[in-house]
């Protein structure tokens, strides 16, 4: 095997022409020894070559459009998982089984198929002391039971990690237990209610047959008493929730849907019981039992829909580092973030996120506050300064003394907000709740009136009609279907790679407004290629030295353009977001950045580089004098123009807002089909925030789409903030929507799906209104038998719930494969 | 006195047993995860024939 390292080409360069050394079929790196300079496609092995030939020969190249590509090969994260053995970790996450073994639930990354289940459940068993491992494939949760005296948890985690399944502690342990109990109780109730309903219906069948064909009195009596017995059980066991719900509602003076239901059930049972004892008159036990079952089933479906949405929030896990590096005498240990105590000394490397609030004791660096404040200007921090958890240490290592650990830190507060975000109710849902309350009040009044009106005619019939009214009217569209439609939409969107944090987002996106797009990384691929360089060759190592540690796409562009230039070493470097880098290399002061940044700090550069519209200019200055100029090109995403067109066709006003040079931004805007004054370049992060604020004051809601690198504040301030694929960590925390797939097409689907969801909700409400009016009219006028009512109501309820549940609000787009799970 | 007075309670007894079994299964967590057991069925028990018994077509 060649010892030369082949740099894995970035995603954008992985074109099928294979001019970079990546396999045309499977996209993994082609070892240098197998690169065939003459061929225009490279393959990593005969297998891939053959597969490609077969597909190509039979015109099946669409395979490459459909196949979901890995961004990189399965690789272990290299973590040591030391913190998993820490006492505090065990206290938080590890439980004991009855056999005395330790057990833990770990959330694994990268689980997606049957083989994953096989591997995850078998590999840990190779370690002595591991008793069993069980994987829940849908939620990617592995339950591990092991003897903690025989093998530490970190070993088990490392074993899984080596295969590509990075492990995180499952933080919802307490919520999980509650959820499991609730689910089981619900399933029991539905099962029992179903069994009873079916049997009561069989007894009713016998009675109906008897009605038509004649039946012995004693048999009739038998069936009536059996029905009474079974229905009583149904009301006392599974049906008890309705009574407890109604009592709770009355105590809170709120009118909940449970109230009329409980009333109807109680009245129906009483009336049926009286008639059974009297041995004369109609009974409605089959209707009542079926009602109980159908209502419970409807509620269960609704609950599942809402779980769907909550589970997708689990995808945004580990925003805060779970481990922190604590200085312990001479050593530095990894400790779970939750175990940090005030007074501990943290070692924070450059590029690390701070795990707790504290005071800098040693070191001098710049801190990126964007996660907390949205403010992206880095702040200097030296000894004595206060720093906060969740911020990113950009410059140099720091030693920080902890003041506020874990739960109390500002980051924890934000994360709590994020977690609660998925419980945010859409305004339409809140409205529906209020309307449901009013609805119930109206129904109760009408029932009382009906009773009073018919009492004079026939008391028995009066009771029947009132019961029929109570049963048939149902605010299902309001109480059940609306929140369900929203939850299902959010869950489905998550399946297609659109992670929505709250139901209100969908409502806001349903109507067109103002859409602000960031350029780099959002509309373009952020894969920067050096197109032109004017400057002396000896400057190159200096540039590379400064760009060495930078994650900025331009740095990667430089590195890719000059692979054989050995970088010098920078002794100091400061990165200004949206401007450039300056530092000291080999004793010289070097600056690399945007023309505005560099010209403010150095002479020269008036002989500007050719500002070709589409290219991003970068100036290099050494010792205060501009010596070099580079021009970078950034290709537009394939679907960008089309997506923008579709959005504008729906009525959205689209504007491009970027920190890049105005000429470049205008060129990109032209290619997207946007008018010139809908594009603004040279915007600093503060400028972007100002644009958002001004727009929010004036008119329709503002949607900001960006990658969080220099627009975190704008994203936070917009009515809906959208973070794109590949964006900064800040966008995960702050944005209301996270697009997990690249491109702008998910954005279009999000907007279309939101509109569709609102349509589904409106349709449901319309149907429910019509149904209720007709049903109530029939019941009040005495034309509705309670039995029919008991069938109609769950039917309508289930119809509306099913319509929401199955509503095709977010579907897999035709060019992507179906999800496996 | 017809046989119905014997058969009906007997049938109800059977239903009670079935419901009891269902409640036991639910409460002991057997219905918590309905997806993964379906996949696990595809896995071989360790220790059974290791040599692949798949088709050899060529």
């Amino acid at each position: 095997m060649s010892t030369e390292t082949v740099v894995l080409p970035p995603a954008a360069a992985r074109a099928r022409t294979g001019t970079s050394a990546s396999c045309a079929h499977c996209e993994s790196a082609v070892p240098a020894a197998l690169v065939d300079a003459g061929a225009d496609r490279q393959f990593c092995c005969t297998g891939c070559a053959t597969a490609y030939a077969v597909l190509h020969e039979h015109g099946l190249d669409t395979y490459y459009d459909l196949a979901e590509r890995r961004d990189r090969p399965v690789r272990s994260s290299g973590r040591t998982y030391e913190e998993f053995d820490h006492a505090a970790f065990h206290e938080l996450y590890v439980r004991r089984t009855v056999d005395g073994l330790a057990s833990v639930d770990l959330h694994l990354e990268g689980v997606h198929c049957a083989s994953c289940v096989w591997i995850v459940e078998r590999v840990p068993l190779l370690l002595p002391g591991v008793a069993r491992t069980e994987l829940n494939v849908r939620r990617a949760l592995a339950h591990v039971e092991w003897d903690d005296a025989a093998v530490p948890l970190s070993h088990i985690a490392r074993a899984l990690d080596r295969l590509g399944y990075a492990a995180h502690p499952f933080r919802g342990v307490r919520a999980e237990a509650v959820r499991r109990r609730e689910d089981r109780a619900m399933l029991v109730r539905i099962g029992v209610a179903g069994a009873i309903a079916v049997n009561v219906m069989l007894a009713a069948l016998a009675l109906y047959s008897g009605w038509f064909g004649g039946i012995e009195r004693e048999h009739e009596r038998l069936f009536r008493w059996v029905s009474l017995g079974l229905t009583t059980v149904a009301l006392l066991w599974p049906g008890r929730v309705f009574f407890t719900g109604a009592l709770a509602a009355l105590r809170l003076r709120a009118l909940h849907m449970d109230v009329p239901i409980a009333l109807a059930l109680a009245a129906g049972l009483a009336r049926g019981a009286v008639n059974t004892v009297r041995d004369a008159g109609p009974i409605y036990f089959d209707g009542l039992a079926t009602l109980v079952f159908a209502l419970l089933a409807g509620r269960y479906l609704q609950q599942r829909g809402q779980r769907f949405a909550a589970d997708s929030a689990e995808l945004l896990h580990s925003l805060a580092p779970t481990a922190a590096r604590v200085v312990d005498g001479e050593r530095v240990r990894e400790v779970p973030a939750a175990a940090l105590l005030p007074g501990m000394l943290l070692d924070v490397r450059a590029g690390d996120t701070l795990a707790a609030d504290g005071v800098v004791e040693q070191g001098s660096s710049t801190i990126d506050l964007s996660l907390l404040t949205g403010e992206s200007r880095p702040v200097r921090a030296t000894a004595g300064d206060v720093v906060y958890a969740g911020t990113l240490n950009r410059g140099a290592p720091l030693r920080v003394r902890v003041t506020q650990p874990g739960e109390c830190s500002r980051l924890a507060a934000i994360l709590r907000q994020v977690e609660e975000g998925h419980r945010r109710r859409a305004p339409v849902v809140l409205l529906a709740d209020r309307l449901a309350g009013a609805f119930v009040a109206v129904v109760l009044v009408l029932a009382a009136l009906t009773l009073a009106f018919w009492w004079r005619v026939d008391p028995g019939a009066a009771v029947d009609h009132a019961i029929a009214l109570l049963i048939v009217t149902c605010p299902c569209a309001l109480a059940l279907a609306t929140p369900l439609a929203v939850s299902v939409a959010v869950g489905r969107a998550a399946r297609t790679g659109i992670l929505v944090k709250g139901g209100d987002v969908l409502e806001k996106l349903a109507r067109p407004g103002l859409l602000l797009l960031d350029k780099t990384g959002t509309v373009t691929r952020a894969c920067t290629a050096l197109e032109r360089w004017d400057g002396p060759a000896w400057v190159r190592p200096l540039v590379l030295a400064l760009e060495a540690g930078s994650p900025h796409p331009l740095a990667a562009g430089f590195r890719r353009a000059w692979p054989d230039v050995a970088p010098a070493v920078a002794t100091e470097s400061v990165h200004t977001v949206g401007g450039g880098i300056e530092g000291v290399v080999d004793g010289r002061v070097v600056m690399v950045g945007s023309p505005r940044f560099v010209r403010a700090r150095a002479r020269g550069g008036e002989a500007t580089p050719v500002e070709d519209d589409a290219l991003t200019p970068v100036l290099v200055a050494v010792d205060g004098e501009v010596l070099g100029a580079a021009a970078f090109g950034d290709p537009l995403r394939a679907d960008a123009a089309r997506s923008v067109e579709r959005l504008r066709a729906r009525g959205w006003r689209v504007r491009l807002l970027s920190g890049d040079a105005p000429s470049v931004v205008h060129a990109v805007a032209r290619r997207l089909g946007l008018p010139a004054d809908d594009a603004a370049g040279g915007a600093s992060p503060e400028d972007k925030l100002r644009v958002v604020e001004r727009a929010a004051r004036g008119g329709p809601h503002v949607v900001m789409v960006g990658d969080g690198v220099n627009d975190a504040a704008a994203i936070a301030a917009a009515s809906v903030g959208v973070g794109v694929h590949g964006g900064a960590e800040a966008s995960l925390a702050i944005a209301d929507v996270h697009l997990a797939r690249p491109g702008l097409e998910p954005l279009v689907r999000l907007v279309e799906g939101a509109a569709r969801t609102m349509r589904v909700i409106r349709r449901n409400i319309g149907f429910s209104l019509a149904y209720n009016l007709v049903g109530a009219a029939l019941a009040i006028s005495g034309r509705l038998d309670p039995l029919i009512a008991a069938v109609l109501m769950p039917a309508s309820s289930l119809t509306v719930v099913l319509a929401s549940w199955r509503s095709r609000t977010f579907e897999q787009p035709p060019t992507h494969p179906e999800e496996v799970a | 006195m017809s046989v119905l007075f014997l058969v009906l309670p007997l049938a109800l007894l059977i239903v009670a047993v079935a419901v009891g079994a269902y409640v036991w299964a639910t409460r002991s967590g057997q219905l918590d995860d309905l997806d993964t057991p379906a996949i696990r069925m595809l896995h071989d028990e360790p220790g059974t024939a290791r040599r692949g018994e798949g088709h050899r077509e060529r």
Side-chain angles (χ1 to χ4, degrees), chain A residues 121 135 138 184 187 219, chain B residues 2 22 27 32 35-36 40:
Chain A
E121 293 190 345
L135 179 66
R138 195 166 40 90
R184 287 182 191 170
L187 280 179
H219 293 161
Chain B
S2 78
Y22 170 79
R27 289 200 178 143
D32 284 347
D35 304 295
T36 321
R40 269 196 219 110

Side-chain angles (χ1 to χ4, degrees), chain A residues 183-214:
Chain A
D183 274 352
R184 287 182 191 170
M186 199 55 171
L187 280 179
V188 165
R189 263 182 244 130
I190 293 180
V192 172
I196 291 182
V198 161
N199 283 290
V200 170
M201 280 198 280
L202 283 176
L205 189 64
L207 287 171
Y208 287 137
S209 318
W211 203 34
F212 289 115

Side-chain angles (χ1 to χ4, degrees), chain A residues 503-512 652 701 703 719-720 736:
Chain A
D504 54 339
V505 167
L506 288 179
E507 191 168 346
K508 284 185 204 162
L509 289 175
R511 288 183 334 271
W652 287 84
H701 46 279
V703 177
S719 9
V720 177
D736 301 301

